[in-house]
Amino acid sequence: AQSVSQHNHHVILSEAASLELGCNYSYGGTVNLFWYVQYPGQHLQLLLKYFSGDPLVKGIKGFEAEFIKSKFSFNLRKPSVQWSDTAEYFCATKAAGNKLTFGGGTRVLVKP
Amino acid sequence: GAVVSQHPSWVICKSGTSVKIECRSLDFQATTMFWYRQFPKQSLMLMATSNEGSKATYEQGVEKDKFLINHASLTLSTLTVTSAHPEDSSFYICSATPPGEYNEQFFGPGTRLTVL
């Protein structure tokens, strides 16, 4: 079964700092990777996804992620965070039947 | 974007009672819906896949007789927690996906269940 691991459980940083969240997946054939964000009190929203093609994926709200096949990684980045980026971030991979397997999540707190 | 709603948003019930949670896709038809469970400070765990017009597919370790799923129409799936106990207290989240292999899942806002 496919699995996803996120290295950081909690990240605290100041506004304008750069953010990088790690995500590693286990190889299970075709790779479909996602990053979701869950703002406090809100539902999960898709930030970006990778199915194939350009390994550098641009998402919403200034986020991007890079698929590195040799490292089984799909790290999320944002050059300059804002207080409004405070949220929980989930990496996920899609298996057969369109099922999503989520990583453990990373709580990000951006201090104003 | 596609919108998925859940009702109720929160519910408190007594131990031994049953609770029904609804998941609706508001502006698209969903042949498949998914039910997840999220414990505090933990990730989402897939419970089951709900298929319109057929039986749900449950993940390993999920009791199908306890968590009854009905996907009666292309826009509605229900999860009924039967004979709820305090350990069933959790955040239940549904998602819906339009037809097509690469279509993303759209998530509902979740339902917080507290069993006293």
Side-chain angles (χ1 to χ4, degrees):
Chain A
Q2 293 188 344
S3 65
V4 177
S5 63
Q6 294 180 237
H7 316 303
N8 311 99
H9 297 293
H10 293 90
V11 172
I12 301 175
L13 61 169
S14 299
E15 278 193 313
S18 64
L19 172 71
E20 180 162 0
L21 303 181
C23 172
N24 285 92
Y25 63 94
S26 63
Y27 180 71
T30 302
V31 176
N32 296 148
L33 295 162
F34 306 80
W35 273 100
Y36 284 89
V37 61
Q38 188 175 31
Y39 297 104
Q42 296 188 28
H43 61 277
L44 270 78
Q45 299 174 42
L46 181 67
L47 277 177
L48 48 79
K49 60 187 176 185
Y50 172 79
F51 288 156
S52 63
D54 190 343
L56 185 60
V57 182
K58 302 287 187 181
I60 61 171
K61 304 178 188 284
F63 286 90
E64 65 179 30
E66 185 174 12
F67 170 63
I68 303 179
K69 188 175 180 179
S70 61
K71 295 185 178 180
F72 299 99
S73 70
F74 189 57
N75 292 356
L76 181 71
R77 297 193 294 252
K78 185 170 184 177
S80 177
V81 295
Q82 301 172 318
W83 175 80
S84 57
D85 292 320
T86 293
E88 188 157 16
Y89 295 82
F90 294 95
C91 183
T93 184
K94 188 169 74 169
N98 209 28
K99 297 179 181 181
L100 287 176
T101 300
F102 286 86
T106 300
R107 287 178 178 265
V108 174
L109 173 63
V110 180
K111 298 185 293 183
Chain B
V3 179
V4 175
S5 69
Q6 282 184 241
H7 178 80
S9 55
W10 58 270
V11 57
I12 301 172
C13 69
K14 292 182 179 180
S15 186
T17 61
S18 294
V19 175
K20 180 185 284 188
I21 302 170
E22 293 185 349
C23 176
R24 293 182 185 272
S25 57
L26 298 186
D27 49 4
F28 66 98
Q29 293 183 331
T31 53
T32 304
M33 291 182 174
F34 299 89
W35 285 96
Y36 296 86
R37 186 173 179 176
Q38 186 179 28
F39 289 104
K41 298 184 180 181
Q42 294 188 32
S43 187
L44 283 78
M45 298 296 293
L46 179 65
M47 298 176 63
T49 304
S50 172
N51 300 298
E52 188 268 337
S54 63
K55 291 184 178 180
T57 305
Y58 291 82
E59 295 300 301
Q60 192 172 12
V62 178
E63 299 177 60
K64 62 180 181 180
D65 294 330
K66 181 165 187 63
F67 298 100
L68 300 179
I69 291 172
N70 188 317
H71 195 149
S73 77
L74 287 172
T75 59
L76 173 64
S77 176
T78 60
L79 168 68
T80 302
V81 183
T82 62
S83 186
H85 289 92
E87 58 265 30
D88 298 324
S89 297
S90 190
F91 197 52
Y92 293 88
I93 302 172
C94 74
S95 70
T97 185
E101 181 179 357
Y102 290 103
N103 283 321
E104 68 181 83
Q105 292 184 25
F106 296 92
F107 286 83
T111 297
R112 184 161 301 284
L113 170 63
T114 301
V115 184
L116 303 177

